[in-house]
Amino acid sequence: GAGVSQSPSNKVTEKGKDVELRCDPISGHTALYWYRQSLGQGLEFLIYFQGNSAPDKSGLPSDRFSAERTGGSVSTLTIQRTQQEDSAVYLCASSLEALPSGELFFGEGSRLTVL
Amino acid sequence: QQQVKQSPQSLIVQKGGISIINCAYENTAFDYFPWYQQFPGKGPALLIAIRPDVSEKKEGRFTISFNKSAKQFSLHIMDSQPGDSATYFCAASRPNDYKLSFGAGTTVTVRA
C-alpha cells in the first residue's frame, strides 16, 4: 500500500495480557516512530527507529513496553501485562529521513482497550 | 509535562467564519513548528509548518502566525468550511531532534 499500515485497528484485551501492535511503514522510509494518543492528551512520543536500531527509547512509559524493527521495515510494539492506563490509540509514523523538520506520515492507529 | 500548551480545547464556528487556535511554548530552543490535522478514525497529517525566521506563513485558507518574543504561534483557518471539521495539533521540535512535542489538540466543528 501507499501509506503506513497498522494492525490490528482495534484490540480489546484483559488486564494482565500481552499485546502486540504492528506497523508497516511506507516503503523506503528509514525513520519510524511510535506515538501514543490518549483522550485530551495530545500525542506522546514513545520510541524512534533509524533503520533497525532505536537511538531513543526515552518515551516508553515502563519496562512493560518494548519495540523492535526488522529488515528496516516492519515494527512491532509489545505491551506486556497490560494495565487499564495503557488504553489509548497507538500511532505509528514514518519519514523518509530522520530530519527534525521531516514530514511524518502517520498510520490510522491501533486502538487498544484494556478491560 | 506538556511542552506545548494549546487552546482552546474545542471550538465551533459557522461556515465562512474564522477559526483561531493558539499555542504557547517555553523552550526557546524549538525551531520548527508544524500543525497536523486529524480526521476521525485517521492518523494526523501535516497541514502547514513554520520556522521562527518568519512571522507568518500562508497556504490557501490556512495561516500560521508566529510571535517569537511571546513564544506563541497560532493557526488561522479563513472562510472555514464543514470539511475543515477535524482535530488540529500544534507541535514543536528542537534542532537535530527528530521527535515532536505535540499540543493537546483542538477539535474544530464548522457548522453549515
Side-chain angles (χ1 to χ4, degrees), chain A residues 29-58:
Chain A
H29 280 194
T30 60
L32 185 147
Y33 312 77
W34 284 96
Y35 281 83
R36 180 168 69 175
Q37 183 174 19
S38 304
L39 195 62
Q41 297 294 315
L43 280 72
E44 173 191 6
F45 169 81
L46 298 179
I47 188 171
Y48 149 71
F49 287 92
Q50 179 59 42
N52 291 336
S53 60
D56 188 348
K57 307 178 184 179
S58 62

Side-chain angles (χ1 to χ4, degrees), chain A residues 34-36 38 44-47 57-67 77-79 83 85-88 90:
Chain A
W34 284 96
Y35 281 83
R36 180 168 69 175
S38 304
E44 173 191 6
F45 169 81
L46 298 179
I47 188 171
K57 307 178 184 179
S58 62
L60 295 178
S62 73
D63 58 8
R64 296 186 296 105
F65 287 72
S66 63
L77 177 68
T78 301
I79 309 173
Q83 303 294 311
E85 61 261 29
D86 299 336
S87 297
Y90 289 82

Side-chain angles (χ1 to χ4, degrees), chain A residues 5 12 20 23 26 33 40-41 44 47 51 62 73-75 78 82-85 88 95 102:
Chain A
S5 177
V12 180
E20 282 190 354
C23 173
I26 293 172
Y33 312 77
Q41 297 294 315
E44 173 191 6
I47 188 171
S62 73
S73 180
V74 172
S75 177
T78 301
T82 53
Q83 303 294 311
Q84 288 182 334
E85 61 261 29
S95 63

Side-chain angles (χ1 to χ4, degrees), chain B residues 14-69:
Chain B
Q14 293 296 120
K15 180 182 175 182
I18 302 173
S19 304
I20 301 174
I21 306 169
N22 300 300
C23 287
Y25 62 96
E26 287 298 323
N27 191 339
T28 55
F30 286 147
D31 77 337
Y32 174 66
F33 302 88
W35 286 86
Y36 279 77
Q37 178 189 54
Q38 183 180 32
F39 294 106
K42 302 295 185 183
L46 180 64
L47 182 65
I48 186 173
I50 197 169
R51 290 196 176 276
D53 51 348
V54 296
S55 60
E56 187 175 281
K57 182 175 182 179
K58 184 176 181 177
E59 288 186 6
R61 295 182 294 104
F62 299 90
T63 300
I64 300 179
S65 297
F66 187 85
N67 186 329
K68 188 174 181 178
S69 60

